[in-house]
């Protein structure tokens, strides 16, 4: 039996793509190995979102290239395949700079791994306009511990955020049907999964592209209806929602979260900023007032809701006053979890053309300041849990 080794980088959505390629490999008679030196084929699934992620992906490709060359020197033929968002974005450049790579695939080319494993396939195989999205029939193999799994309910994104390259890498919004998602979740639950994590580039926009009447179609599929359908799976214990967009969190969705017992009272909502000027230049499509309103609605109606969010500091045009408003917002809102990223200058985005750039050192200083504020808030939130009984997912014996 031939062997394959995977390196999967980036977000959970990318990991799902890797899991489809795991299934493709198994169907082609390949066994998964943990040690790259034991593999006949090396696959690196890359991330191309921001600068640090791109560098990590390049480093992983170069390391795999060294492993391939070492294998060849030892008389063991190896093949190196690079896939994912980085090759979607820079296929030609990577092919020129790293000749050791045998094949390049993009963000929507997981199934194209099959002919490569069969000994065929082009070297440059990136689909320039992504249209594919996996479904319940795709040959996916869950790589997470058996008690939990990610389920990607949509691919791509239609948002025009000025700092983000994802729509160009992943294509437009492509939602799966409710029936497809429920069928996959049922299979995972029957196999032992007790926690299902729903992911997408824009989870709250789920179904908009399937609705004949557009986003406000009263009868079309949407996230609230999907949540209720999944909540009916008898052996599912936890359902978690990731990456909600503030302006798409409807009252119908909040009601479903409040009423469905299997939905974890947890919201992962990347807000990015609170300053009105920055929200406009980021092209987020909502106001600061809308952010306050959605947070108020969630906290009023979803008992014990935990809110996680992320922010970008150092975006072009972020003045000291704009940053101060963000710091005050974080202090006042008492989020349970916060992640802060420094702005990454990405060619091909609108933000890359904006004036009034912020120095990297200034952006990093602002990131540290927000995280210091949040560390105090998170510590107090954890201290409030002392003495409470909580339902937990037992993963195994404690060390």
């Amino acid at each position: 039996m031939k062997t394959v080794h995977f390196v999967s980088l980036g977000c959970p959505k990318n990991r799902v793509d890797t899991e489809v390629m795991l299934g493709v490999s198994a169907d082609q008679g390949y066994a998964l190995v943990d040690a790259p030196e034991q593999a006949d084929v090396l696959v690196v699934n890359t991330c191309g979102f921001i600068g640090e992620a791109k560098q990590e992906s390049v480093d992983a490709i170069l390391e795999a290239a060294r492993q391939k060359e070492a294998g060849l020197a030892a008389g063991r033929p190896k093949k190196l395949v690079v896939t994912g968002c980085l090759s979607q974005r820079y296929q030609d450049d990577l092919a020129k700079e790293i000749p050791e790579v045998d094949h390049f695939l993009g963000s929507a080319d997981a199934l194209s791994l099959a002919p490569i494993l069969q000994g065929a396939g082009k070297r440059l195989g990136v689909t320039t306009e992504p249209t594919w999205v996996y479904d319940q029939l795709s040959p996916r193999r869950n790589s997470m511990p058996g008690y939990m799994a990610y389920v990607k309910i949509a691919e791509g994104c239609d948002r025009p955020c000025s700092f983000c390259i994802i729509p160009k890498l992943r294509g437009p919004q492509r939602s799966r049907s409710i029936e497809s998602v429920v069928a996959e979740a049922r299979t995972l639950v029957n196999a032992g999964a007790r926690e299902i994590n729903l992911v997408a580039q824009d989870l709250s926009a789920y179904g908009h592209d399937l609705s004949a009447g557009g986003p406000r179609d009263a009868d079309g599929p949407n996230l609230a209806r999907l949540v209720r359908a999944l909540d009916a799976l008898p052996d599912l214990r936890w359902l978690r929602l990731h990456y909600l967009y503030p302006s798409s969190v409807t009252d119908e969705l909040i009601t479903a979260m409040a009423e469905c017992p299997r939905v974890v009272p947890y919201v992962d909502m990347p807000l990015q900023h609170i300053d009105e000027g920055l929200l406009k230049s980021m092209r987020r499509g909502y106001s600061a007032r809308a952010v306050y309103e959605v947070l108020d609605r969630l906290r009023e109606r979803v008992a014990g809701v935990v809110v996680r969010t992320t922010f970008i500091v150092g975006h072009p045009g972020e003045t000291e006053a704009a940053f101060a408003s963000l710091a005050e917002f974080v202090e006042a809102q008492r989020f349970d979890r916060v992640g802060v990223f420094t702005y990454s200058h990405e060619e091909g985005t609108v933000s890359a053309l904006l004036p009034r750039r912020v120095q990297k050192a200034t952006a990093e200083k602002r990131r540290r300041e927000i995280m210091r504020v949040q560390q105090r808030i998170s510590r107090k939130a954890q201290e409030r849990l002392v003495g409470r009984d909580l339902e937990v997912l037992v993963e195994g014996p404690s060390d």
Side-chain angles (χ1 to χ4, degrees):
M1 179 175 283
K2 295 199 173 202
T3 54
V4 61
H5 173 79
F6 280 88
V7 177
S8 188
L9 303 172
C11 64
K13 300 175 288 292
N14 212 38
R15 188 183 186 106
V16 172
D17 295 340
T18 298
E19 291 173 345
V20 173
M21 289 189 284
L22 282 171
V24 169
S25 302
D27 288 352
Q28 296 300 317
Y30 279 73
L32 178 67
V33 293
D34 292 331
E37 59 270 15
Q38 297 175 358
D40 299 302
V41 178
L42 303 168
V43 182
V44 181
N45 192 13
T46 62
C47 177
F49 181 40
I50 59 175
E52 291 181 357
K54 289 189 292 185
Q55 186 59 55
E56 181 184 25
S57 293
V58 170
D59 291 344
I61 296 169
L62 294 175
E63 176 60 27
R66 286 190 287 269
Q67 292 161 349
K68 173 192 170 182
E69 294 302 302
L72 291 173
R76 179 167 187 169
K78 287 182 181 287
K79 184 177 291 186
L80 174 55
V81 182
V82 172
T83 184
C85 286
L86 191 74
S87 53
Q88 183 75 41
R89 189 173 182 183
Y90 300 114
Q91 173 186 232
D92 294 336
D93 292 338
L94 291 170
K96 179 181 178 181
E97 297 295 330
I98 313 178
E100 296 90 344
V101 179
D102 298 288
H103 299 275
F104 289 93
L105 299 175
S107 62
D109 301 319
L111 299 183
S112 297
L113 183 63
I116 290 174
L117 297 177
Q118 295 166 4
K122 301 181 296 183
R123 184 176 187 233
L124 305 183
V126 173
T127 301
T128 56
E129 296 183 3
T131 58
W132 176 79
V133 60
Y134 91 107
D135 60 24
Q136 79 279 13
L137 302 178
S138 299
R140 179 188 174 193
R141 300 290 188 276
N142 184 21
S143 65
M144 303 293 290
Y147 47 78
M148 69 170 293
Y150 292 107
V151 172
K152 183 160 55 170
I153 67 174
E155 182 58 270
C157 184
D158 292 334
R159 300 286 180 184
C161 301
S162 64
F163 55 83
C164 185
I165 197 69
I166 290 298
K168 291 185 178 181
L169 303 183
R170 290 278 178 174
Q173 171 97 11
R174 308 185 297 284
S175 301
R176 300 167 58 186
S177 68
I178 289 179
E179 294 76 16
S180 171
V181 176
V182 172
E184 183 187 14
R186 182 182 294 111
T187 298
L188 290 165
V189 170
N190 289 343
R194 292 298 171 262
E195 177 180 357
I196 296 293
N197 297 276
L198 300 185
V199 295
Q201 264 77 32
D202 182 0
L203 200 78
S204 46
Y206 167 77
H208 291 183
D209 53 306
L210 302 179
S211 300
R216 302 190 182 280
D217 189 339
D219 299 317
N222 62 28
L223 185 58
R225 288 159 203 164
L226 174 62
V227 163
R228 290 190 183 278
L230 292 169
D231 188 66
L233 293 175
D235 291 325
L236 176 64
R237 295 296 295 274
W238 286 351
L239 179 65
R240 198 181 300 269
L241 312 182
H242 294 269
Y243 319 124
L244 297 175
Y245 198 86
S247 61
S248 299
V249 178
T250 63
D251 286 337
E252 183 185 6
L253 175 59
I254 294 174
T255 299
M257 293 176 65
E259 293 179 352
C260 294
R262 293 176 176 85
V263 176
V264 178
Y266 168 87
V267 171
D268 190 341
M269 182 187 297
L271 296 175
Q272 311 304 9
H273 220 281
I274 197 61
D275 178 77
E276 292 285 5
L278 265 294
L279 291 174
K280 288 180 180 178
S281 65
M282 288 179 172
R283 296 190 175 186
R284 293 293 284 170
Y286 54 80
S287 65
R289 178 180 177 181
V291 173
Y292 283 104
E293 288 179 350
V294 72
L295 291 171
D296 287 344
R297 285 188 291 142
L298 284 164
R299 287 165 170 161
E300 288 171 2
R301 297 174 55 188
V302 181
V305 68
V306 168
V307 180
R308 178 189 182 272
T309 189
T310 55
F311 298 107
I312 296 173
V313 293
H315 185 274
E318 186 186 52
T319 62
E320 287 294 341
F323 172 71
S325 68
L326 176 61
E328 292 169 4
F329 175 70
V330 172
E331 183 78 60
Q333 286 295 316
R334 321 300 288 180
F335 294 107
D336 298 272
R337 294 286 186 273
V338 167
V340 183
F341 298 90
T342 57
Y343 168 73
S344 180
H345 180 85
E346 299 297 325
E347 66 274 16
T349 64
V350 174
S351 291
L353 304 176
L354 295 177
R356 297 188 297 156
R357 295 185 185 176
V358 177
Q359 293 293 322
K360 288 185 178 180
T362 301
E364 176 58 25
K365 178 183 177 182
R366 291 173 180 178
R367 186 194 70 81
R368 292 196 302 266
E369 184 173 335
I370 294 292
M371 290 311 300
R372 280 195 296 270
V373 171
Q374 182 58 35
Q375 285 169 358
R376 295 194 300 270
I377 295 170
S378 294
R379 186 180 302 113
K380 291 180 180 178
Q382 291 166 353
E383 290 170 352
R384 287 195 295 271
L385 295 175
V386 175
R388 291 182 56 191
D389 292 334
L390 303 173
E391 183 180 52
V392 299
L393 177 62
V394 178
E395 301 181 355
S398 168
D399 292 337

Coordinates of all heavy atoms in Angstrom, one line a residue, residues 54-81:
K54 N 1.0 33.3 5.2 CA 1.7 33.0 4.0 C 3.1 32.5 4.2 O 3.6 31.6 3.6 CB 1.7 34.3 3.1 CG 0.3 34.6 2.5 CD 0.4 35.7 1.5 CE 0.7 37.0 2.1 NZ 0.7 38.1 1.1
Q55 N 3.8 33.2 5.2 CA 5.2 32.8 5.5 C 5.2 31.4 6.1 O 6.1 30.6 5.7 CB 5.8 33.8 6.5 CG 7.3 33.5 6.7 CD 8.1 33.6 5.5 OE1 8.1 34.6 4.7 NE2 8.8 32.5 5.2
E56 N 4.2 31.1 6.9 CA 4.2 29.7 7.5 C 4.0 28.7 6.4 O 4.6 27.6 6.4 CB 3.0 29.6 8.5 CG 2.9 28.3 9.2 CD 1.7 28.2 10.1 OE1 0.7 28.9 9.9 OE2 1.8 27.3 11.1
S57 N 3.1 29.0 5.4 CA 2.9 28.1 4.3 C 4.1 27.9 3.5 O 4.4 26.7 3.1 CB 1.7 28.6 3.5 OG 0.5 28.6 4.2
V58 N 4.8 29.0 3.2 CA 6.0 28.9 2.4 C 7.1 28.0 3.1 O 7.7 27.1 2.5 CB 6.6 30.3 2.0 CG1 8.0 30.1 1.4 CG2 5.7 31.0 1.1
D59 N 7.2 28.2 4.4 CA 8.2 27.5 5.2 C 7.8 26.0 5.2 O 8.7 25.1 5.1 CB 8.2 27.9 6.6 CG 8.8 29.3 6.8 OD1 9.5 29.8 5.8 OD2 8.6 30.0 7.8
A60 N 6.5 25.7 5.3 CA 6.1 24.3 5.2 C 6.3 23.6 3.9 O 6.7 22.5 3.8 CB 4.6 24.2 5.6
I61 N 6.1 24.4 2.8 CA 6.4 23.9 1.4 C 7.9 23.6 1.3 O 8.3 22.5 0.8 CB 6.0 24.9 0.4 CG1 4.4 25.1 0.4 CG2 6.4 24.4 -1.0 CD1 3.9 26.2 -0.4
L62 N 8.8 24.5 1.8 CA 10.2 24.3 1.6 C 10.7 23.1 2.5 O 11.5 22.4 2.0 CB 10.9 25.6 2.1 CG 10.7 26.8 1.2 CD1 11.4 28.1 1.8 CD2 11.2 26.6 -0.2
E63 N 10.1 22.9 3.6 CA 10.4 21.8 4.5 C 10.0 20.5 3.8 O 10.8 19.5 3.7 CB 9.8 21.9 5.8 CG 10.0 20.7 6.8 CD 11.5 20.5 7.1 OE1 12.3 21.4 7.0 OE2 11.8 19.3 7.3
A64 N 8.8 20.5 3.2 CA 8.4 19.3 2.4 C 9.3 19.0 1.2 O 9.6 17.9 0.9 CB 6.9 19.5 2.0
A65 N 9.7 20.1 0.6 CA 10.7 20.0 -0.6 C 12.0 19.3 -0.1 O 12.5 18.4 -0.8 CB 10.9 21.3 -1.2
R66 N 12.5 19.7 1.0 CA 13.7 19.1 1.6 C 13.5 17.6 1.9 O 14.3 16.8 1.6 CB 14.2 19.8 2.8 CG 14.8 21.2 2.6 CD 15.4 21.8 3.8 NE 14.5 22.2 4.8 CZ 14.0 23.5 4.8 NH1 14.4 24.4 3.9 NH2 13.1 23.8 5.7
Q67 N 12.3 17.3 2.4 CA 12.0 15.9 2.7 C 11.9 15.1 1.5 O 12.3 13.9 1.4 CB 10.7 15.8 3.5 CG 10.8 16.4 5.0 CD 9.5 16.8 5.6 OE1 8.4 16.8 4.9 NE2 9.5 17.1 6.9
K68 N 11.3 15.7 0.4 CA 11.2 15.0 -0.9 C 12.6 14.7 -1.4 O 12.9 13.6 -1.9 CB 10.4 15.8 -1.8 CG 10.4 15.3 -3.3 CD 9.9 16.3 -4.3 CE 10.1 15.7 -5.7 NZ 9.7 16.7 -6.7
E69 N 13.5 15.7 -1.4 CA 14.8 15.5 -1.9 C 15.6 14.5 -1.1 O 16.3 13.7 -1.7 CB 15.5 16.9 -1.9 CG 14.9 17.9 -2.9 CD 14.9 17.4 -4.3 OE1 16.0 17.1 -4.8 OE2 13.8 17.4 -4.9
A70 N 15.4 14.5 0.2 CA 16.1 13.5 1.0 C 15.6 12.1 0.6 O 16.4 11.1 0.6 CB 15.9 13.8 2.5
G71 N 14.3 12.0 0.4 CA 13.8 10.7 0.0 C 14.3 10.2 -1.3 O 14.7 9.0 -1.5
L72 N 14.4 11.1 -2.3 CA 14.9 10.8 -3.6 C 16.4 10.3 -3.5 O 16.8 9.4 -4.1 CB 14.8 12.0 -4.5 CG 13.4 12.4 -5.0 CD1 13.4 13.7 -5.8 CD2 12.8 11.2 -5.8
A73 N 17.1 11.0 -2.6 CA 18.5 10.7 -2.4 C 18.7 9.3 -1.8 O 19.7 8.6 -2.1 CB 19.2 11.7 -1.6
A74 N 17.7 8.9 -1.0 CA 17.8 7.6 -0.4 C 17.2 6.5 -1.3 O 17.0 5.3 -0.9 CB 17.0 7.6 0.9
G75 N 16.8 6.9 -2.5 CA 16.2 5.9 -3.4 C 14.8 5.6 -3.3 O 14.2 4.7 -3.9
R76 N 14.1 6.5 -2.6 CA 12.6 6.4 -2.4 C 11.9 7.5 -3.2 O 11.9 8.7 -2.7 CB 12.2 6.4 -1.0 CG 10.7 6.2 -0.8 CD 10.3 5.9 0.7 NE 8.9 5.7 0.8 CZ 8.4 5.2 1.9 NH1 9.1 4.9 2.9 NH2 7.1 4.9 1.9
P77 N 11.3 7.2 -4.3 CA 10.6 8.3 -5.1 C 9.5 8.9 -4.2 O 8.8 8.2 -3.5 CB 10.1 7.6 -6.3 CG 10.8 6.3 -6.4 CD 11.2 5.9 -5.0
K78 N 9.5 10.2 -4.3 CA 8.4 11.0 -3.5 C 7.8 12.0 -4.5 O 8.4 12.5 -5.4 CB 9.0 11.7 -2.3 CG 9.3 10.8 -1.1 CD 9.8 11.6 0.0 CE 10.2 10.7 1.2 NZ 9.0 10.2 1.9
K79 N 6.5 12.3 -4.2 CA 5.8 13.3 -5.0 C 5.3 14.4 -4.0 O 4.9 14.1 -2.9 CB 4.6 12.7 -5.7 CG 3.9 13.7 -6.6 CD 2.8 12.9 -7.4 CE 3.4 12.0 -8.4 NZ 2.3 11.4 -9.2
L80 N 5.5 15.7 -4.4 CA 5.1 16.8 -3.5 C 3.9 17.6 -4.2 O 4.1 18.0 -5.3 CB 6.2 17.7 -3.3 CG 6.0 19.0 -2.5 CD1 5.3 18.8 -1.2 CD2 7.2 19.8 -2.3
V81 N 2.8 17.7 -3.4 CA 1.6 18.4 -3.9 C 1.3 19.6 -3.0 O 1.3 19.4 -1.8 CB 0.4 17.4 -4.0 CG1 -0.8 18.2 -4.5 CG2 0.7 16.2 -4.8

